[in-house]
Amino acid sequence: MPDKENTMRAMVLREYNSPLVLEQRPIPIIKRDQILLKVEACGICGTDLKITKGQLPSIIKLPHVPGHELGGVVVDVGEDVKNIKVGQRGIGYTYLPCHDCHQCRTGKQNVCSTITRLGFEHDGGFGEYVALPAYGFCPIPADEKVSDYAVLTDAALTPFHSIVALGKVKAGDSVLVVGVGALGLYALQIAKLSGATVIVADIKEEALENAKSYGADATINTKKEDLEKSVKELTNGNGVDVAFDGVGYASTFVPTLKCVTKGGTLLLTGYDPINSLPLDALGMHYNEWTVIGTRLGTKEELLRLIDLTYKKKLKPIISKYYPFNEVNRALEELSKGQVIGRIVLTGWND
Ligand SMILES: [Zn+2]
Ligand SMILES: [Zn+2]
């Protein structure tokens, strides 16, 4: 157990569109099947901006501690927990599935009918301690950097599930990745690992340059070039087999769908929480396009990502570190679109 008084520091969202506030909060009391994790690293995701801006009001109950890409060290285990030891390091599978619904019983725990999530329905990793079901704890190899693995829980797991399980990308495929933020950088790497040729598109030259160092075969700056025209030129007029839209707003979805070859697939991985997307029904009919909504991934896939990272098949994508109590600075940078890769919170400034 933590030795100090039973309180911890946490960055708390008290009001939407306001900075998070540093507060002392009770350390969570774990149940028999839970572990207590001292959070050492937590990634900051675009969804955290949606949360702080109040775009997910039906899910988030204030006051709230965000943070869903967390990793750290086990400091306590419940009495029913057998195979996890105090002192072990690992990351938290963000979703808390019921293990008992139709989806859970058919291997689709990421769309469990009663899913709740760390950093959404439950307080997350912007606090010093998190109670986690033992099931969700994924150990990482000793001496590895927790931060490099913490971001796998969303930034890598979402594209991995999307590209491998749903998109079924295979050797020889052409893949378009639209938006090379953190998820896009992993999407690019995972598609390359699957044997695909990968084109990336973004509005930021710096992000495109960065993507080249992660193996992009071609880049398109959509501020300067027409996306569809450029993709068709790069694919002998065919379009790509699979497109990964990591943004999911009408401004990306509409042009991205036009880049998909007949019979191809668009993986809709980002989302606009407020507005629906227009869908070209006639285009869908003539081209037999498949559009797949995707949502995180399974714990089994997360374990595979840990292995791929350890074997250096995937390169870390962290661009910056901030102490937890400077989370507001990090969120501001993210909202201004200034972040290349992922910002990760580590340590607390006294
Ligand atoms: Zn996220
Ligand atoms: Zn379930």
Side-chain angles (χ1 to χ4, degrees):
M1 275 297 283
D3 40 359
K4 290 182 283 181
E5 338 65 87
N6 291 326
T7 64
M8 65 171 190
R9 288 170 288 190
M11 298 305 293
V12 183
L13 179 68
R14 288 229 151 243
E15 233 179 291
Y16 292 128
N17 295 301
S18 297
L20 275 62
V21 188
L22 174 63
E23 286 183 9
Q24 288 290 326
R25 296 201 133 200
I27 292 173
I29 295 165
I30 54 170
K31 297 179 186 150
R32 297 172 67 103
D33 62 347
Q34 290 183 327
I35 61 158
L36 188 66
L37 198 71
K38 186 172 197 304
V39 180
E40 295 180 325
C42 191
I44 299 186
C45 170
T47 308
D48 293 319
L49 282 182
K50 292 179 175 129
I51 290 173
T52 56
K53 286 178 181 168
Q55 293 178 342
L56 304 173
S58 60
I59 296 161
I60 305 299
K61 299 281 167 270
L62 299 184
H64 173 67
V65 181
H68 56 272
E69 283 189 348
L70 58 100
V73 60
V74 178
V75 291
D76 197 12
V77 299
E79 46 200 299
D80 291 347
V81 178
K82 298 284 178 266
N83 295 314
I84 301 171
K85 302 277 173 271
V86 168
Q88 239 181 325
R89 283 200 155 69
I91 56 178
Y93 178 58
T94 306
Y95 281 11
L96 280 61
C98 76
H99 305 289
D100 203 28
C101 69
H102 174 69
Q103 282 75 18
C104 283
R105 287 180 184 278
T106 51
K108 295 175 184 167
Q109 61 187 205
N110 57 312
V111 285
C112 165
S113 55
T114 58
I115 202 91
T116 56
R117 296 159 286 177
L118 297 173
F120 293 80
E121 292 83 1
H122 306 284
D123 282 345
F126 293 179
E128 279 181 290
Y129 296 93
V130 165
L132 184 72
Y135 170 83
F137 178 74
C138 303
I140 64 169
D143 304 325
E144 287 292 282
K145 247 170 113 175
V146 173
S147 49
D148 285 340
Y149 287 81
V151 299
L152 299 180
T153 57
D154 178 14
L157 180 55
T158 301
F160 187 81
H161 178 70
S162 178
I163 283 175
V164 177
L166 301 176
K168 299 188 171 28
V169 170
K170 56 191 183 304
D173 279 352
S174 54
V175 173
L176 169 66
V177 174
V178 176
V180 273
L183 272 74
L185 280 179
Y186 272 119
L188 157 63
Q189 295 189 75
I190 291 158
K192 289 294 293 180
L193 266 184
S194 307
T197 300
V198 185
I199 304 165
V200 301
D202 203 289
I203 52 172
K204 280 182 292 188
E205 200 55 48
E206 200 187 346
L208 293 169
E209 280 307 311
N210 188 43
K212 283 182 193 163
S213 68
Y214 284 82
D217 295 290
T219 60
I220 300 167
N221 183 331
T222 47
K223 261 207 170 147
K224 299 179 189 160
E225 301 159 82
D226 180 75
L227 182 67
E228 182 185 0
K229 187 166 167 278
S230 304
V231 168
K232 295 274 169 75
E233 277 169 12
L234 289 163
T235 53
N236 297 321
N238 288 324
V240 290
D241 299 299
V242 177
F244 176 93
D245 182 359
V247 185
Y249 282 62
S251 59
T252 56
F253 173 77
V254 172
T256 302
L257 190 57
K258 290 179 187 159
C259 297
V260 176
T261 194
K262 285 179 186 290
T265 301
L266 186 152
L267 302 164
L268 187 59
T269 309
Y271 62 92
D272 178 339
I274 295 163
N275 305 298
S276 306
L277 295 173
L279 195 63
D280 169 13
L282 189 65
M284 293 287 290
H285 168 70
Y286 280 131
N287 296 293
E288 227 176 50
W289 284 319
T290 302
V291 175
I292 305 181
T294 83
R295 188 176 188 188
L296 204 75
T298 64
K299 182 191 154 183
E300 288 65 32
E301 290 166 331
L302 183 55
L303 294 174
R304 288 170 67 187
L305 284 164
I306 291 174
D307 198 45
L308 286 169
T309 302
Y310 185 58
K311 289 176 177 158
K312 307 214 180 315
K313 302 275 185 195
L314 292 173
K315 268 168 67 174
I317 50 123
I318 299 169
S319 53
K320 235 179 197 180
Y321 298 90
Y322 277 114
F324 279 89
N325 24 355
E326 289 180 29
V327 65
N328 293 314
R329 271 177 64 197
L331 286 167
E332 198 181 323
E333 270 184 39
L334 189 62
S335 70
K336 286 182 181 159
Q338 292 169 341
V339 180
I340 304 291
R342 205 47 135 202
I343 297 181
V344 171
L345 303 173
T346 53
W348 291 77
N349 275 351
D350 288 319

